[in-house]
Each structure stands twice: as C-alpha cells, then as structure tokens.
Amino acid sequence: MAKTVLVSGGAGYIGSHVTVELFAAGYEVVVADNMSNCDLTCFNGVKKITGREDIPFYEIDCCDYAAVNRLFDEQKIDAVIHFAAFKAVGESVAEPLMYYRNNLVSFLNILEAAKNHGGCNVLFSSSATVYGEAENLPVTEKTPRLPATSPYGNTKTMCEDILRDTVRATETIKGIALRYFNPIGAHPSALIGELPRGVPNNLVPFITQTAIGKRECLSIFGNDYPTEDGTCLRDYIDIVDLAKAHVAAVSRMLDGRMKEGYEIFNVGTGRPVSVQELVDAFEKVNDLKLNYKIAPRRPGDVVAIWADTTLANEELGWKAERTIEETLASAWAWEKSLAGK
Ligand code: WQD
C-alpha cells in the first residue's frame, strides 16, 4: 500500500510543487492549508498536473489543535512535511507575537498530534537564514547557527530545536530539517508557481512582475558589497529540484534509511550567483530588457551565502539538476501565464 504524506501548507508555493513530486514518486498526499497566504490557483494546478481530482484537502489552521487531531484521526499519516508558516521577514519584525504564535504553535500541534497517533516521520522546512552571516563559505550542516536577525528566522531555529528535542525524547518520532537556500522558478507546466500577495519581497517575483509591467522598476539593493560585481551572492535553488529533495528525504525516513533520529540537510546548488548575474541571466534567457536601478543596501541582508551540498548529494542521493537559465525561463513563463488568467 502506498504511504501517505501530510503536507501542511500544501496549497502554497513550495507545498504545491512538493505535492506534485510526491504523487509522481508513488505516494498518497493529504493537503492541509488555512489559505491565509494563497488562493486555490496552485491546488487546482496540482490537480491538473497529477490528474488527481480526489486529493484529500483539509482547510484547517494548524494552530487549531482539535482540527489537526481530527485530521490524524481520519487519515493514516506515515509522514508529515510541515510548511504551514508565515514567511515575510520584515512583517515578522513588525509583528513578532503573530509570527511566534503562528509558526511555533502550528508546529507544536503537528508534533503533539503525531505523537498521540503512534508517532510519525516529520520533515521540517527550515532555512539557510539560520546560518546568518557565516564566517566560512560555503556553509555545511556543521556550520554554527548564528542568532537570527528576525523573529521569522528565530522561528526556524526554534522549530529545528523543538524537532530535535522531540525526536530525542520520543522513540516513535523521526525528524529531518531541510535548510533551503533561495527557492525560485516554477513548474515547467506553468500551472503552479509563486503567487506573492502585494509587493514581492523576494528578488525573482519582483523581477518577473517588473518585466510584465506590474512594477515599474526593480531596485538592486546595493552594489558596493565586497563581492566581484558588488552585489550580494545567493544560492538560487530551482523549485522542482527543491521539491525532489523532499521526496528523497521522506523516502529516507519511510524506508528506514536514516542514520540518526534527527538529521539536517542543506538544499541548494552549491553555486553562488550575484544579484546582477541573476538579472543579466533573466534578460538573456528571456530575450528582454529589464527596467532596473541600483538602490541603497537593504537592512538585514547578508553579503553572501551558499551551500555545501555534499551531505544531501551523498546521503539523499539528490542533486540540483535544472540550470539557472531553465529556472528563470520557468519563472517568466509562470508570470506570463498569470497575465493570461
Ligand atoms: C535575494 C537577493 C537582496 C529584492 C529571504 C529570506 C529567507 C528565505 C528566502 C523565505 C538579496 C536582493 C531582493 C529586490 C534586490 N525565506 N534583492 N531587489 O533575502 O536572500 O532570503 O527569502 O521565505 O529566509 O531571508 O531573498 O529574494 O529577498 O533577496 O536587490 O527587490 O536579492 O538584497 O541580495 P533573501 P530575497
């Protein structure tokens, strides 16, 4: 019998891509989402891509313990991938209590319900933000975490620790934290992708919205950093590659291949790309000119971060495959498909 994976936040950007790849790998998926930061566009896209009209969908808030518990009563869950969380760094600085309550309580509820239903394999969606401004690059999973510079970042660090401690104390719970670098791009079908509400904070949605004319001009935040072209360096990971890393991690848990009860993997490409290089590549691959200007640095940005991906490559048997050109073309195809809707 196929194993069932609960994807919390499954109607969102990363969750929808992961749901598609889980089905492709032969798993059954149950989606839970409170729709607080998305509409049905991606969930409907998932149904189209997979040809599955019958995906169990719970419109619940994971902060509601009774609702989460009911879901576990009704479904036999073999693994959980937990995405349901707020993710805007700036907003978290303005509304720390809202971020701590939402991101911590929802995860505690998932763990508690899993524990009360005989245990589970839990995959937590963490972030490279836990490394802060690292001294040595690229960062490995052993690179020390630094104090987070935002409540959002803090919730990632705290949830990692909550998972680690829960695994330590609970024989029936295993855990993996995946630390994502910068996820970008869209599914090749252009049926699912990133749907930011309001003005995008992240670079690629801002680029595509500028290219399509929704935004007037992209600001490159700082060109006086100590890097080759003066702009910041990041490790941009294709969303489909990222989704496949989740399948690899879930299989490792479900097939009993974990070496320890709690494991951590970086999910990136291992290649640093500057903001300027990304903008240039976007223009080139999509054969267009982008309206952009150099603006002051954005407070809180780290100069450079990229992943050492050896552990994920060796232990998960996973590697990023799509080129940055393919990824940027997919982001543009998605933006254009939205304009046609
Ligand atoms: C990338 C680079 C900007 C916008 C954040 C979170 C992280 C993760 C992903 C999210 C930086 C520059 C950006 C713009 C620009 N979590 N930039 N003009 O800051 O690396 O990571 O998002 O859910 O936890 O911290 O990503 O895409 O915002 O920025 O020049 O309009 O692009 O300065 O160098 P970041 P980003």
Side-chain angles (χ1 to χ4, degrees), residues 127 152 182 201-203 219-221 232 234 275 298 301:
S127 168
Y152 161 78
N182 289 56
N201 293 312
N202 297 118
L203 178 60
S219 293
I220 293 184
F221 297 137
C232 293
R234 294 288 183 276
V275 176
R298 181 172 70 176
D301 273 339

Side-chain angles (χ1 to χ4, degrees), residues 2-195:
K3 303 262 189 194
T4 301
V5 183
L6 167 63
V7 181
S8 78
Y13 173 45
I14 305 181
S16 58
H17 287 83
V18 168
T19 300
V20 167
E21 297 308 321
L22 285 169
F23 276 120
Y27 293 107
E28 285 299 314
V29 182
V30 173
V31 170
D33 206 300
N34 68 354
M35 312 304 284
S36 67
N37 193 31
C38 65
D39 58 24
L40 280 173
T41 307
C42 286
F43 189 61
N44 290 334
V46 169
K47 288 187 188 168
K48 250 197 206 140
I49 296 166
T50 59
R52 293 286 299 257
E53 277 297 323
D54 59 342
I55 305 169
F57 178 74
Y58 286 73
E59 188 171 343
I60 59 166
D61 188 335
C62 291
C63 289
D64 176 350
Y65 181 73
V68 175
N69 206 52
R70 215 172 308 125
L71 187 158
F72 275 84
D73 282 344
E74 290 172 12
Q75 306 280 345
K76 194 191 161 311
I77 303 297
D78 298 294
V80 184
I81 306 182
H82 182 65
F83 293 112
F86 293 154
K87 61 167 187 176
V89 177
E91 187 184 45
S92 80
V93 175
E95 299 283 353
L97 294 176
M98 185 174 104
Y99 268 68
Y100 286 120
R101 176 179 297 280
N102 187 66
N103 292 7
L104 299 180
V105 172
S106 61
F107 193 44
L108 292 172
N109 284 348
I110 292 275
L111 289 170
E112 194 92 50
K115 186 179 167 201
N116 291 341
H117 286 78
C120 207
N121 299 285
V122 180
L123 196 161
F124 176 64
S125 96
S126 191
S127 168
T129 194
V130 301
Y131 296 118
E133 183 87 72
E135 231 169 85
N136 297 307
L137 292 165
V139 291
T140 76
E141 292 76 359
K142 291 210 164 71
T143 299
R145 296 180 309 181
L146 293 177
T149 51
S150 73
Y152 161 78
N154 249 331
T155 66
K156 291 295 177 195
T157 308
M158 288 163 134
C159 284
E160 284 192 354
D161 290 348
I162 289 169
L163 183 56
R164 180 202 60 207
D165 295 346
T166 305
V167 165
R168 215 177 260 162
T170 322
E171 215 173 299
T172 55
I173 292 188
K174 304 262 174 289
I176 289 183
L178 295 184
R179 292 178 178 158
Y180 316 148
F181 284 69
N182 289 56
I184 61 165
H187 194 265
S189 66
L191 289 168
I192 55 176
E194 194 167 4
L195 263 181

